[in-house]
């Protein structure tokens, strides 16, 4: 525990220190340390902790969590994170602590997490499984989308208290897939943050604490993502301020997301999580060649240090929305969603070059006097302009005669 506090003090906290730890990271580390303290390892000297004690901790936490009627997977995830924290602290202490001898010697010479690392139970990073491992592959998008749409038509039995939770969960999962937004931020989104004209979400001011970086954030929405919010507004805006509320209209993810994820997973046999949909969005963005600096901003990774040039660039909202729409189109095309694209209808009397209305009428009159179509008249006028530029000394009538002879 003392080593953790010293590491926090040495690294510092963002934004006071650019490379410091985020407040959410510090909070998570301390929470896991309190869990470790329950098993008597937090106050022991680091030189006296054995690999057997760490392994026993890793095995006992899931048993205790499951005994408390928690979800099956939560206990294993907490155990992995606790051992990962111990591993990080030993790596930090090994570099940090030395004797006063000359030459100095390392005080920490062993790491009790090594046996678990050898079996790949724990290791680098905070996750034992990468988010990409729990995402949906491109070939599976069609099956997943079919099950997701079936969720909307789900008919609950009369004993089910969460009668309409499947509707909100359907919108929640679809929105996460089409935007790549974190679940923690989604649960706190309000209708007041939505700008329907700009098709964007503005998470600013006191609401910025929904974001992991705790900074103001603007998310441009694709047409389909914007439609989801409009549908939710029409459905329950009078009952709740939240876009994805609980059954009682409060903030939170108690819309049964984890339950409905299991419901979909059982039907399509795809091992994914809700957070894996965020990874799916990022993977699809890379697959359809969206610039990396754009999709980093779309998923709120844009504030991380990149290079010197990235500090000079500023992306416009319209360009970001266009790229977001490109990712959405890629996802929907691979999901087999049939969308009728509006084809531009062209007629001979249309205004093909978006010329101002007054000039367009003059060209229509010219076409009528010459007995030709409007488009042909446009082409003649363009050729006439080229001739006038090459022969500025000639009169318009003479130029027109030359044009008719060509």
């Amino acid at each position: 525990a003392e080593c953790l506090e010293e590491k926090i003090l040495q690294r510092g906290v963002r934004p006071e220190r650019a490379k410091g730890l985020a407040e959410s990271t510090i909070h998570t580390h301390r929470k896991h340390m309190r869990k470790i303290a329950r098993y008597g390892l937090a106050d022991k000297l680091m030189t006296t902790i054995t690999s057997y004690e760490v392994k026993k901790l890793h095995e006992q936490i899931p048993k205790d969590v499951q005994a408390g009627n928690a979800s099956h997977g939560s206990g294993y995830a907490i155990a992995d994170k606790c051992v990962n924290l111990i591993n990080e602290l030993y790596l930090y202490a090994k570099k940090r602590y030395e004797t006063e001898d000359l030459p100095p010697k390392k005080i920490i010479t062993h790491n009790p997490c090594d046996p678990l690392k050898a079996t790949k139970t724990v290791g680098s990073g905070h996750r034992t499984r990468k988010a990409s491992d729990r995402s949906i592959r491109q070939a599976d998008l069609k099956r997943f989308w079919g099950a997701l749409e079936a969720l909307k038509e789900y008919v609950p039995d009369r004993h089910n208290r969460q009668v309409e939770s499947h509707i909100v969960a359907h919108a929640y999962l679809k929105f996460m897939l089409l935007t790549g937004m974190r679940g923690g931020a989604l649960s706190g989104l309000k209708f007041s943050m939505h700008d329907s004209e700009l098709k964007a979400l503005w998470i600013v001011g006191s609401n910025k604490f929904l974001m992991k970086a705790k900074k103001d954030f603007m998310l441009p929405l694709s047409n389909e993502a914007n439609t989801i919010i409009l549908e939710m507004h029409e459905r329950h805006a009078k009952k709740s301020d939240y876009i994805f509320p609980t059954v009682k209209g409060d903030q939170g993810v108690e819309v049964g997301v984890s339950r409905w994820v299991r419901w979909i997973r059982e039907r399509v046999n795809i091992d994914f999580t809700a957070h894996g949909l965020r990874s799916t969005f990022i993977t699809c963005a890379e697959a359809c060649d969206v610039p990396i600096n754009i999709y980093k901003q779309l998923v709120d990774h844009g504030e991380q240090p990149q290079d010197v040039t990235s500090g000079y660039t500023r992306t416009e909202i319209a360009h970001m929305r266009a790229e977001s729409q490109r990712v959405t189109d890629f996802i929907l095309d691979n999901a087999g969603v049939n969308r009728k694209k509006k084809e531009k209808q062209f007629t001979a009397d249309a205004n093909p070059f978006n010329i101002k209305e007054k000039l367009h009428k003059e060209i229509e009159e010219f076409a009528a006097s010459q007995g030709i179509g409007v488009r042909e008249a446009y082409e003649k006028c363009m050729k006439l302009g080229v001739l006038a530029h090459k022969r500025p000394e000639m009169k318009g009538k003479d130029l027109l005669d030359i044009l008719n002879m060509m």
Side-chain angles (χ1 to χ4, degrees):
E2 292 178 359
C3 181
L4 173 61
E5 295 303 323
E6 184 177 332
K7 180 181 178 181
I8 293 171
L9 185 64
Q10 192 260 337
R11 286 283 303 273
V13 184
R14 291 202 297 253
E16 285 77 11
R17 288 193 184 179
K19 295 185 178 181
L21 297 172
E23 290 182 3
S24 59
T25 303
I26 295 172
H27 173 76
T28 302
H29 283 348
R30 286 173 174 164
K31 181 180 71 174
H32 292 147
M33 183 55 68
R34 288 194 295 270
K35 174 70 72 173
I36 295 169
R38 296 178 188 175
Y39 297 87
L41 297 185
D43 296 327
K44 288 192 69 173
L45 292 174
M46 296 182 71
T47 52
T48 63
I49 297 176
T50 64
S51 57
Y52 172 77
E53 290 174 313
V54 174
K55 185 178 179 181
K56 187 177 179 181
L57 168 80
H58 188 258
E59 293 173 350
Q60 191 62 35
I61 289 177
K63 295 178 182 178
D64 294 343
V65 171
Q66 291 169 34
N69 296 324
S71 61
H72 181 76
S74 299
Y76 293 104
I78 294 171
D80 292 344
K81 290 174 182 177
C82 287
V83 177
N84 268 316
L85 176 59
I86 295 173
N87 180 51
E88 286 183 20
L89 293 177
Y90 267 90
L91 294 176
Y92 169 79
K94 194 172 183 179
K95 295 179 180 179
R96 182 80 173 169
Y97 302 135
E98 296 177 339
T99 63
E100 295 180 356
D101 301 333
L102 291 176
K105 298 179 181 179
K106 300 288 184 182
I107 295 176
I108 303 297
T109 57
H110 81 295
N111 185 344
C113 299
D114 284 343
L116 289 176
K117 290 166 64 178
T119 60
K120 298 184 179 180
T121 305
V122 296
S124 60
H126 297 283
R127 296 186 180 91
T128 55
R129 292 185 68 182
K130 294 181 180 180
S132 58
D133 295 336
R134 307 301 295 271
S135 62
I136 300 171
R137 302 185 184 279
Q138 185 175 332
D140 295 331
L141 275 171
K142 190 171 184 178
R143 286 193 298 131
F144 167 78
W145 193 270
L148 185 61
E149 289 301 308
L151 175 59
K152 190 176 182 181
E153 306 300 327
Y154 175 80
V155 180
D157 57 64
R158 61 188 183 89
H159 300 292
N160 188 355
R161 294 181 180 179
Q162 294 183 332
V163 176
E164 295 184 342
S165 66
H166 63 285
I167 298 177
V168 179
H170 166 266
Y172 178 97
L173 293 172
K174 185 182 287 188
F175 192 86
M176 181 180 281
L177 176 62
L178 298 182
T179 61
M181 205 169 189
R182 294 184 182 91
L186 276 178
S187 63
L189 290 181
K190 295 182 178 180
F191 290 112
S192 57
M193 304 176 190
H194 180 227
D195 189 331
S196 57
E197 294 183 1
L198 286 177
K199 295 182 182 178
L201 284 171
W202 297 91
I203 307 174
V204 297
S206 59
N207 295 318
K208 67 183 180 182
F209 294 102
L210 289 173
M211 307 307 297
K212 189 175 182 179
K214 303 294 187 291
K215 294 183 179 181
D216 292 342
F217 181 69
M218 183 279 301
L219 177 67
L221 302 172
S222 62
N223 295 331
E224 289 75 12
N226 190 64
T227 302
I228 292 173
I229 297 181
L230 295 177
E231 289 175 353
M232 291 293 101
H233 185 276
E234 184 178 353
R235 179 182 176 273
H236 57 246
K238 294 181 180 179
K239 299 178 182 179
S240 176
D241 296 331
Y242 295 97
I243 298 175
F244 306 105
T246 63
V247 177
K248 296 180 180 179
D250 302 325
Q251 174 185 356
V253 292
E254 296 176 10
V255 293
V257 170
S258 58
R259 172 196 170 191
W260 296 116
V261 165
R262 289 195 299 272
W263 187 89
I264 295 173
R265 198 158 48 196
E266 290 170 359
R267 280 153 181 78
V268 294
N269 196 26
I270 299 174
D271 184 20
F272 77 99
T273 60
H275 189 74
L277 298 179
R278 173 176 166 85
S279 176
T280 304
F281 176 86
I282 297 173
T283 305
C284 291
E286 188 173 356
C288 58
D289 298 326
V290 173
I292 186 170
N293 64 309
I294 299 295
Y295 71 73
K296 273 180 173 285
Q297 293 179 65
L298 289 174
V299 297
D300 193 29
H301 285 169
E303 294 297 330
Q304 295 181 357
Q306 297 176 41
D307 52 31
V308 176
T309 309
S310 63
Y312 289 85
T313 58
R314 180 177 177 178
T315 311
E316 296 294 333
I317 182 173
H319 181 49
M320 289 181 65
R321 186 188 298 108
E323 297 297 340
S324 178
Q325 185 65 52
R326 189 143 68 99
V327 180
T328 297
D329 292 341
F330 180 86
I331 292 172
L332 296 179
D333 289 342
N334 282 277
V337 178
N338 294 322
R339 295 177 299 156
K340 293 182 179 179
K341 296 182 179 180
K342 295 182 178 179
E343 297 181 357
K344 293 183 179 180
Q345 295 182 351
F346 175 78
T347 60
D349 294 329
N351 184 349
F353 303 107
N354 296 322
I355 303 296
K356 290 183 179 180
E357 195 64 29
K358 184 178 179 181
L359 181 57
H360 178 62
K361 289 182 179 179
E362 292 179 358
I363 293 176
E364 281 183 328
E365 293 175 359
F366 170 71
S369 64
Q370 296 290 317
I372 58 178
V374 176
R375 187 172 185 83
E376 188 179 347
Y378 268 103
E379 292 173 354
K380 278 199 170 187
C381 289
M382 292 175 69
K383 291 178 182 178
L384 188 63
V386 173
L387 284 173
H389 179 72
K390 290 181 178 179
R391 303 181 181 183
E393 73 283 355
M394 295 187 67
K395 294 182 180 180
K397 187 178 180 182
D398 297 333
L399 289 171
L400 191 59
D401 293 337
I402 294 174
L403 186 62
N404 291 329
M405 292 172 61
M406 293 175 64

